[in-house]
Amino acid sequence: MFDMRAQLASKFLSLNFFLLANEKNDDFTVPVSQIKKWMSDFYGWAQEMFKDRPYYAYGRNVTFAVEDGVFNKEKLKAVMEAVSEMGFSVFLKISLRSLSENLDFMMELSKQKCLGSLMVTIANKEVDALGDVEAIFARIKKMKVAVTLLGSMKDFFIAGAFSSPSLNGSDVCFFLQEPEACDKLNTLSKEMTPCQEKMVLCVNSEGLIFPCAGLMSSPRHSLGSVFDKDFFSTFRMEGDILEWAFVGPDLLPEGPVLSESGMPWPCRRHVAEVLTNG
Ligand code: SF4
């Protein structure tokens, strides 16, 4: 019989891990030792899951997203080194402001080969305060890592990203976090499609694990926690989540929409409904 749970689990090759400094800033709220242990279990689970299809093992990656402000560089480096040694490609998601404050450290990570790709979020509010943005782009280019810029068209223009001599001809992907057209439509133009291709394991800063970024604001849709013993044989993935994965959420044509978020409009619409209905 077609095992939907296993089918969906097979999509979880990649994951997003949100890191938040603890109060003393001597580690993250999920300690690095626990992240390493859980990632090692994830590696073992994926190997077992894909033993008949080893090609699935390629292209596994983990994106660590660091909050703005203080983060412990040694701890971040330790976790990135450990995870890249396990064979994961390591992406780092960071704001342009935080990146500009840590350029030497980022350069060090790229030289150590534990930084596979940089995902840089740009918010126009902060661009003015950064001064010479082109100088930051020039340093990014020297890191020789794949770069994705995340923001709106307006943010990219304000930062001068399209006219940047450093980025011109470089391997840079521009990722529109919120296609402006979605806001203008402001209605469901067609039926919701199944979510399975959009789903990716997301771990929040407390260690709770979710099937997609949107559901991170709804603790009851957590699959479990990185602190759970035997998470990979016990994780909850049933009911609503399977239905959304294989059919898509059943949304009314009109309803609340979550504002101020980088998520696509259908997710903002769905999450608003999930939060409203409890
Ligand atoms: S529509 Fe809902 S379940 Fe589907 S990916 Fe978006 S937030 Fe997740």
Side-chain angles (χ1 to χ4, degrees):
M1 189 186 143
F2 175 61
D3 183 346
M4 293 166 87
R5 196 172 178 274
Q7 168 74 14
L8 183 55
S10 72
K11 306 278 174 201
F12 295 149
L13 284 170
S14 308
L15 61 117
N16 294 330
F17 215 122
F18 291 77
L19 301 176
L20 180 68
N22 68 9
E23 276 180 15
K24 289 192 209 151
N25 193 30
D26 61 1
D27 205 338
F28 296 108
T29 45
V30 177
V32 164
S33 55
Q34 185 64 28
I35 299 174
K36 285 193 211 169
K37 181 185 173 312
W38 189 79
M39 290 297 301
S40 169
D41 291 348
F42 179 67
Y43 179 84
W45 170 78
Q47 274 201 320
E48 179 60 27
M49 168 95 51
F50 305 117
K51 64 179 179 227
D52 300 331
R53 293 167 290 167
Y55 44 88
Y56 268 97
Y58 291 111
R60 283 173 307 135
N61 62 67
V62 53
T63 301
F64 290 114
V66 284
E67 298 278 325
D68 266 1
V70 218
F71 56 87
N72 187 300
K73 292 180 191 168
E74 284 314 308
K75 290 287 176 180
L76 181 60
K77 189 173 163 207
V79 76
M80 288 175 72
E81 277 175 348
V83 169
S84 61
E85 274 166 24
M86 286 177 205
F88 290 90
S89 183
V90 180
F91 297 5
L92 187 67
K93 187 172 173 193
I94 188 167
S95 72
L96 187 61
R97 181 167 70 83
S98 221
L99 176 71
S100 72
E101 290 163 359
N102 294 286
L103 280 167
D104 289 340
F105 174 59
M106 295 298 149
M107 188 65 85
E108 189 187 325
L109 290 178
S110 73
K111 280 187 186 151
Q112 306 268 331
K113 311 238 182 294
C114 53
L115 174 62
S117 180
L118 261 182
M119 308 179 78
V120 186
T121 56
I122 298 183
N124 62 55
K125 304 189 273 284
E126 60 188 31
V127 169
D128 281 349
L130 292 175
D132 189 355
V133 179
E134 179 54 28
I136 302 171
F137 289 150
R139 292 288 303 276
I140 292 176
K141 185 175 182 179
K142 281 193 185 145
M143 290 176 204
K144 297 190 176 141
V145 295
V147 177
T148 301
L149 298 184
L150 302 105
S152 69
M153 288 293 273
K154 193 171 157 199
D155 297 331
F156 296 148
F157 274 113
I158 291 175
F162 293 128
S163 53
S164 158
S166 302
L167 297 186
N168 188 10
S170 303
D171 182 13
V172 178
C173 170
F174 291 92
F175 189 89
L176 282 171
Q177 274 193 310
E178 174 60 16
E180 284 88 346
C182 287
D183 277 341
K184 295 206 169 57
L185 282 173
N186 206 27
T187 183
L188 287 175
S189 57
K190 54 184 180 182
E191 281 182 19
M192 291 288 288
T193 50
C195 292
Q196 54 171 322
E197 297 303 334
K198 284 180 279 188
M199 286 182 158
V200 56
L201 276 190
C202 292
V203 187
N204 76 7
S205 55
E206 290 162 16
L208 289 177
I209 303 162
F210 296 85
C212 64
L215 293 176
M216 291 178 81
S217 41
S218 173
R220 81 184 173 88
H221 289 104
S222 151
L223 308 179
S225 155
V226 296
F227 296 101
D228 289 347
K229 259 191 165 181
D230 304 323
F231 168 80
F232 291 99
S233 52
T234 60
F235 60 94
R236 303 181 288 270
M237 194 161 56
E238 52 222 15
D240 288 352
I241 291 175
L242 282 185
E243 188 187 321
W244 297 335
F246 292 97
V247 182
D250 184 17
L251 297 179
L252 297 169
E254 293 190 16
V257 182
L258 205 71
S259 60
E260 297 292 315
S261 140
M263 284 186 284
W265 192 85
C267 292
R268 291 200 284 128
R269 173 77 186 74
H270 183 214
V271 173
E273 197 159 286
V274 165
L275 296 179
T276 305
N277 297 333

